[in-house]
Amino acid sequence: MKTPKVSVLMPAYNAEKYLGEAIESILNQTFTDFEFVIIDDCSTDKTWEIIQEYVKKDKRIISIKNEKNLKLSATLNKGIEACKADYIARMDADDWSYPDRLEKQYEVISKDPKIGILGGSMEVCDEDLKVLNVRKYNISDSEIRKNLFKYSPFCHPATMFKKEALLKDRYNINLNDAEDYDLYFRIGKYYKLQNLSNIAIKYRTSDNQVSNKKAKRQQYLTLYIRLKANIEYGYKAPMKDILLSLLQLILVSLLPNQIKVLLFNLYRKI
């Protein structure tokens, strides 16, 4: 069989509730020249059974089951090795991709060899995919770098990577819950970073997500990654961003998570 143009990589762990919607949103893409690599990270629910039902329906799906729970970063690194295409699109097992997502992203990233990561905007939704708000990201490489120390420049499950970039810099397995932010800094040393303005996914939020359940750990890791980027990765953070990070460190320790989220969303709009 010929090599597909895009590999869609989706890890899944105890994802039975929303897994079918996520899979179908990829299978119904207007862009069809892809393989769909789904890795079950040793789930204890019916995740694997659901994946196998879809394997029977669509030959583009490649299913892998971890023998033990590896957690997200190690599972993604395993998936990168399994992907055959030159471009890898990320997808989460509880989100929903718009039908033209892959088509629009491939059209741009395949024409510019300097782009290492290409993202898109997202609709933040509740558990029923009802839109709560829209989060847009900086478009150009220059704007992304200008704000790189302020907040994450991409919606991780809406990204498409140049595989060559991922093979150069894998996910750090010691930074689960903020592994994507660290990766952006490292890939940004060699490649352009870019977002499309269009909405790529519906991002489902729930009480069990990393962003809520492990918010404090994630925020501490974010500050640690910024320090690493400034010391190890060759970036130079503006003094105002360093001071802002120190302020965030204080807020992380003192404020409830709901208030921090409100402040963060307000800050992004300024």
Side-chain angles (χ1 to χ4, degrees):
M1 296 179 63
K2 70 171 185 175
T3 302
K5 292 180 178 178
V6 171
S7 296
V8 180
L9 175 57
M10 186 175 78
Y13 176 68
N14 288 351
E16 63 177 5
K17 189 173 182 180
Y18 306 118
L19 182 59
E21 286 181 281
I23 292 175
E24 289 179 16
S25 76
I26 295 299
L27 297 182
N28 292 328
Q29 291 287 304
T30 56
F31 181 93
T32 59
D33 192 359
F34 65 85
E35 64 174 0
F36 193 2
V37 179
I38 308 176
I39 305 183
D40 177 8
D41 192 19
C42 200
S43 296
T44 57
D45 63 1
K46 295 182 180 179
T47 293
W48 182 247
E49 288 82 354
I50 294 171
I51 294 171
Q52 294 313 298
E53 286 301 313
Y54 279 98
V55 168
K56 296 174 185 176
K57 299 176 182 178
D58 199 306
K59 63 182 181 181
R60 293 174 296 181
I61 297 177
I62 299 168
S63 61
I64 301 171
K65 185 176 178 65
N66 291 341
E67 294 182 2
K68 63 178 182 178
N69 182 256
L70 298 179
K71 299 193 181 300
L72 182 58
S73 297
T75 297
L76 288 173
N77 287 339
K78 182 176 180 178
I80 292 167
E81 293 290 341
C83 290
K84 301 181 182 69
D86 291 334
Y87 302 98
I88 299 177
R90 277 282 289 108
M91 179 64 184
D92 278 350
D94 56 352
D95 295 329
W96 184 89
S97 283
Y98 273 91
D100 60 353
R101 174 202 164 179
L102 296 183
E103 180 180 1
K104 289 183 175 180
Q105 289 184 318
Y106 179 78
E107 182 179 0
V108 173
I109 198 171
S110 63
K111 292 179 179 178
D112 189 344
K114 294 181 180 180
I115 298 177
I117 311 174
L118 180 66
S121 299
M122 69 173 176
E123 291 175 335
V124 181
C125 302
D126 63 14
E127 294 193 50
D128 298 318
L129 292 184
K130 179 182 177 181
V131 179
L132 303 175
N133 58 75
V134 176
R135 181 175 296 174
K136 293 186 176 294
Y137 293 82
N138 297 123
I139 303 298
S140 68
D141 182 78
S142 60
E143 283 298 309
I144 288 173
R145 292 179 188 278
K146 181 180 177 182
N147 296 289
L148 199 51
F149 282 88
K150 296 177 182 177
Y151 43 75
S152 180
F154 297 105
C155 170
H156 192 203
T159 50
M160 182 176 287
F161 293 83
K162 190 179 181 71
K163 184 181 179 181
E164 175 187 283
L166 287 173
L167 292 176
K168 185 188 294 286
D169 286 289
R170 312 297 175 89
Y171 290 90
N172 187 328
I173 62 173
N174 297 313
L175 296 176
N176 278 310
D177 300 333
E179 70 291 323
D180 54 333
Y181 192 38
D182 176 71
L183 184 67
Y184 304 151
F185 275 107
R186 288 186 284 119
I187 289 180
K189 291 162 56 179
Y190 311 104
Y191 297 91
K192 282 172 55 178
L193 308 175
Q194 188 171 322
N195 276 298
L196 298 181
S197 60
N198 64 287
I199 297 171
I201 70 167
K202 287 181 176 290
Y203 181 85
R204 197 189 308 262
T205 58
S206 69
D207 292 336
N208 294 321
Q209 280 188 298
V210 167
S211 55
N212 292 320
K213 194 174 183 180
K214 302 179 181 178
K216 185 165 288 190
R217 167 181 161 80
Q218 187 180 56
Q219 289 158 342
Y220 279 126
L221 283 175
T222 294
L223 299 177
Y224 170 70
I225 289 165
R226 289 173 184 167
L227 181 64
K228 281 178 67 69
N230 207 50
I231 296 174
E232 296 181 22
Y233 301 160
Y235 290 83
K236 294 301 177 185
M239 181 56 66
K240 64 178 181 178
D241 290 346
I242 294 175
L243 294 176
L244 180 63
S245 291
L246 292 175
L247 176 61
Q248 286 179 317
L249 182 61
I250 296 172
L251 294 178
V252 164
S253 303
L254 299 179
L255 295 179
N257 187 54
Q258 287 184 328
I259 295 178
K260 285 182 288 190
V261 170
L262 289 174
L263 290 175
F264 172 75
N265 288 332
L266 177 63
Y267 173 70
R268 287 184 62 94
K269 296 177 181 179
I270 298 176

